[in-house]
């Protein structure tokens, strides 16, 4: 199937209010343009340099989301244009984003990444670390970032019950956070393999790559 048909099929399954982030990492400009010409405007990348090159070359009405792990020394390259940073998992990083956003006289929307998977390798905060971060005095002084919600990645497994449980945990944390901070509205969970489970558990934003663009080739 074509990219256009893949997009159409996926969008048809998304409830109202769920945003599709088309994950275009490793994909060339022409491929992204195919999705753009089919109407897609929100794209996700996991490397800042790759995203910046694409931002330079592609139409300026694209919303670029940084979905990968963010190195602090690279925030400056995306501070001018990034729409949403999904993978914020420390106050240190948040401070750097705030500092770079200030230079461009803007507020950068961020999601805090939670560690929900059983795997050791995934980044993210646990509920206690989240609590510490948002209740710290330093956090309150940051004027050029806005926390819009949470992001999480479930364990990579065939065990749908495990995935479901991890998404439920994230949703619970999200609901608690909503009571503590204003403007919490985005729950970013779900990828090609598990987005229907994520939606059933309350996702408001899915990050889908291979089901739109086909398998990635890293060679
Ligand atoms: C690559 C990636 C995705 C998309 O993965 P697919 O399985 O191709 O849909 C989603 N979220 C993050 C954080 C990713 O790195």
């Amino acid at each position: 199937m074509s990219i256009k048909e893949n997009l159409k099929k996926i969008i048809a399954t998304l409830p109202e209010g769920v945003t599709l982030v088309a994950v275009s990492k490793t994909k060339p400009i022409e491929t992204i343009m195919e999705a753009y010409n089919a109407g897609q405007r929100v794209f996700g990348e996991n490397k800042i340099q790759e995203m910046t090159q694409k931002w330079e070359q592609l139409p300026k009405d694209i919303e670029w989301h940084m979905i990968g792990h963010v190195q602090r020394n690279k925030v400056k390259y995306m501070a001018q244009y990034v729409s949403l940073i999904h993978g914020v998992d420390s106050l240190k990083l948040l401070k750097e984003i705030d500092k770079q956003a200030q230079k461009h006289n803007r507020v950068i929307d961020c999601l805090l990444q939670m560690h929900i998977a059983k795997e050791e390798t995934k980044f993210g905060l646990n509920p206690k670390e989240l609590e510490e971060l948002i209740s710290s005095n330093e956090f309150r002084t940051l004027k050029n970032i806005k926390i819009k919600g949470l992001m999480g990645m479930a364990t990579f497994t065939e065990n749908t019950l495990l995935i479901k449980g991890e998404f439920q945990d994230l949703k619970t944390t999200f609901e608690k956070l909503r009571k503590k901070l204003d403007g919490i509205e985005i729950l970013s969970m779900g990828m090609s393999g598990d987005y229907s489970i994520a939606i059933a558990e309350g996702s408001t934003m899915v990050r889908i790559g291979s089901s739109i663009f086909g398998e990635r080739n890293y060679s």
Side-chain angles (χ1 to χ4, degrees):
M1 275 205 301
S2 68
I3 288 170
K4 186 177 177 174
E5 285 167 331
N6 290 341
L7 274 170
K8 205 174 151 193
K9 215 175 98 187
I10 292 166
I11 289 166
T13 69
L14 300 180
E16 224 183 284
V18 176
T19 303
L20 171 63
V21 180
V23 176
S24 50
K25 61 193 187 196
T26 78
K27 299 296 172 185
I29 296 292
E30 310 81 70
T31 306
I32 300 175
M33 273 313 290
E34 258 185 82
Y36 180 89
N37 288 330
Q40 183 64 26
R41 291 293 180 274
V42 184
F43 291 88
E45 291 281 334
N46 71 339
K47 294 205 168 70
I48 294 173
Q49 267 140 330
E50 182 178 340
M51 181 169 79
T52 301
Q53 283 174 0
K54 289 173 176 175
W55 165 70
E56 283 166 354
Q57 295 177 52
L58 283 157
K60 290 296 173 285
D61 61 342
I62 289 178
E63 261 188 44
W64 290 102
H65 289 203
M66 174 41 55
I67 62 169
H69 183 68
V70 177
Q71 284 171 284
R72 261 180 292 143
N73 60 356
K74 293 190 179 150
V75 172
K76 54 179 177 282
Y77 302 118
M78 64 174 169
Q80 181 188 344
Y81 70 89
V82 69
S83 286
L84 183 65
I85 303 177
H86 290 231
V88 179
D89 63 357
S90 72
L91 182 60
K92 256 182 162 174
L93 174 57
L94 210 47
K95 281 164 63 180
E96 176 63 16
I97 297 169
D98 183 76
K99 182 175 139 193
Q100 297 300 333
Q102 210 173 342
K103 288 186 186 165
H104 294 281
N105 202 13
R106 63 183 293 238
V107 173
I108 297 181
D109 289 343
C110 296
L111 303 179
L112 294 170
Q113 182 172 358
M114 300 299 295
H115 183 277
I116 55 169
K118 296 289 167 287
E119 292 143 341
E120 283 296 324
T121 52
K122 303 257 161 88
F123 297 99
L125 303 161
N126 63 40
K128 183 166 167 275
E129 291 164 336
L130 172 66
E131 180 58 40
E132 282 167 8
L133 195 161
I134 63 163
S135 53
S136 67
N137 288 328
E138 260 189 312
F139 173 71
R140 282 188 216 113
T141 65
L142 305 178
K143 298 283 181 268
N144 294 76
I145 53 100
K146 175 79 191 141
I147 301 297
K148 302 288 278 185
L150 298 177
M151 182 272 228
M153 286 167 87
T155 303
F156 189 69
T157 173
E158 300 283 305
N159 182 347
T160 53
L161 273 179
L162 179 62
I163 296 171
K164 187 176 149 95
E166 290 172 358
F167 285 151
Q168 282 172 344
D169 287 348
L170 185 56
K171 168 76 170 169
T172 303
T173 308
F174 176 73
E175 290 304 331
K176 283 186 191 155
L177 183 64
R178 282 179 107 158
K179 298 197 179 96
K180 292 176 191 155
L181 292 182
D182 285 336
I184 300 296
E185 53 200 34
I186 301 173
L187 181 53
S188 168
M189 59 184 197
M191 321 187 0
S192 291
D194 58 19
Y195 74 89
S196 25
I197 307 174
I199 286 168
E201 300 311 325
S203 169
T204 72
M205 188 172 274
V206 290
R207 311 175 308 271
I208 300 181
S210 37
S211 292
I212 300 171
F213 299 110
E215 293 303 319
R216 282 177 295 274
N217 181 358
Y218 287 100
S219 63

